[in-house]
Amino acid sequence: MTSLACEPVRSSWTSPAADAAGRRLRVFARLVRCSGPSTSTGAMEYRVYAGGSVLLCTAAHPTYGDTLARAAAVPEAREALARLPLRQGCDEGSAVLSSLDQISNRGRNAEVPDALQDLAEEIAIDVHEACAAFDGPDLWYPGVDEGIEPVPDDHVQLVIAALQRELDRERRNALGQNVEPRLPPAPLAELPWPVQRALAERRRLRFAQYGIGRAQWQSGAWSIWDVQEDPDWVPRRLAIGAGRQTASAGW
Amino acid sequence: MRNAVSNPATAPAETPVRTPSIAPAPWPERYTDPIHICPQQKRELASPDVAP
């Protein structure tokens, strides 16, 4: 397991190693970059940026762990990371959808920010696991009983339609390559209803693990301080990469 | 060696017709696997325009 906490902040926004642990720390690593001491200004300090703004200055090259701890303690830095945009790649008019007739795969729809790539990967894995029901309708694919608000049936349908919209956009061959013969998108609405419901519940849980609920969705902002710390958490795609079963992988 | 001529007094035994069963291919052979789509498309798959 790679220790992200002890790794010096990189000079560019890059992805943490696949086996780097820590749910919140992994998000943080995608948010910040560090510039070295400036020789032109004579300022012998390292600057940590979040977006285009300076978050912190330090005399020594900071690590991700140190920087996150300092950001939590410095009010200005803490505030800067407490209101981050939830959506990118869309205009405000298409930022929030609440009914099936608004779902369209024309044009481009909102995506979660790069810092939430792990969240996106987790949801993709949940969809992947749900699709096993195409081969076995009795698939054991548990939903979520605790920790989230119940998901109404009409919201399950809305979520499935939204997921389908995106699956329709990118097709791959059986090896996952972006070449012909590309396979059709998985028809999620043909999954057994309990699996569709469980998938929508899992998606709600995933967002909750990143501190995103209805209030954050409505405001379009999220806070890194609401992301579960989970210092030992590693992405499930690590298990997929190792060829292990993921159906019963931990949350 | 069995007599190849069947006894007309005996009803011929019915041989069950067995159509070869074609097991459905595993689903990743039929549909694009969502874990294979690109990172940006996965961020869109999260669909932040739809409530959690």
Side-chain angles (χ1 to χ4, degrees), chain A residues 33-55:
Chain A
R33 66 180 180 87
C34 181
S35 67
S38 170
T39 53
S40 59
T41 63
M44 296 304 290
E45 62 184 14
Y46 290 82
R47 295 181 176 184
V48 178
Y49 293 85
S53 305
V54 175
L55 192 67

Side-chain angles (χ1 to χ4, degrees), chain A residues 214-226:
Chain A
R214 189 161 192 88
Q216 288 76 18
W217 174 73
Q218 286 176 325
S219 70
W222 60 288
S223 167
I224 195 166
W225 311 114
D226 293 333

Side-chain angles (χ1 to χ4, degrees), chain A residues 86-100:
Chain A
L86 177 60
R87 306 176 186 96
Q88 64 185 23
C90 69
D91 54 45
E92 273 306 303
S94 61
V96 174
L97 307 181
S98 56
S99 67
L100 278 173

Side-chain angles (χ1 to χ4, degrees), chain A residues 144-223:
Chain A
V144 182
D145 295 329
E146 298 178 356
I148 61 166
E149 292 290 318
V151 182
D153 286 352
D154 57 350
H155 193 65
V156 174
Q157 292 177 312
L158 184 62
V159 167
I160 295 298
L163 297 174
Q164 188 67 57
R165 168 190 64 180
E166 303 306 334
L167 293 187
D168 290 346
R169 284 200 166 113
E170 187 169 320
R171 300 185 298 126
R172 300 288 177 114
N173 69 7
L175 299 175
Q177 299 160 331
N178 195 14
V179 296
E180 297 292 349
R182 293 182 177 87
L183 298 168
L188 300 181
E190 294 179 16
L191 290 169
W193 177 253
V195 173
Q196 294 184 46
R197 161 165 289 287
L199 177 55
E201 291 172 349
R202 286 187 182 201
R203 177 177 176 272
R204 179 166 288 189
L205 176 70
R206 300 295 172 216
F207 273 97
Q209 289 169 329
Y210 287 82
I212 299 164
R214 189 161 192 88
Q216 288 76 18
W217 174 73
Q218 286 176 325
S219 70
W222 60 288
S223 167

Side-chain angles (χ1 to χ4, degrees), chain A residues 10-72:
Chain A
R10 300 179 195 177
S11 59
S12 60
W13 285 287
T14 53
S15 303
D19 64 342
R23 191 189 301 274
R24 184 187 295 174
L25 195 57
R26 290 179 59 86
V27 173
F28 183 68
R30 284 192 162 96
L31 277 172
V32 297
R33 66 180 180 87
C34 181
S35 67
S38 170
T39 53
S40 59
T41 63
M44 296 304 290
E45 62 184 14
Y46 290 82
R47 295 181 176 184
V48 178
Y49 293 85
S53 305
V54 175
L55 192 67
L56 294 168
C57 297
T58 63
H61 196 161
T63 64
Y64 285 110
D66 289 342
T67 307
L68 182 58
R70 279 201 62 199

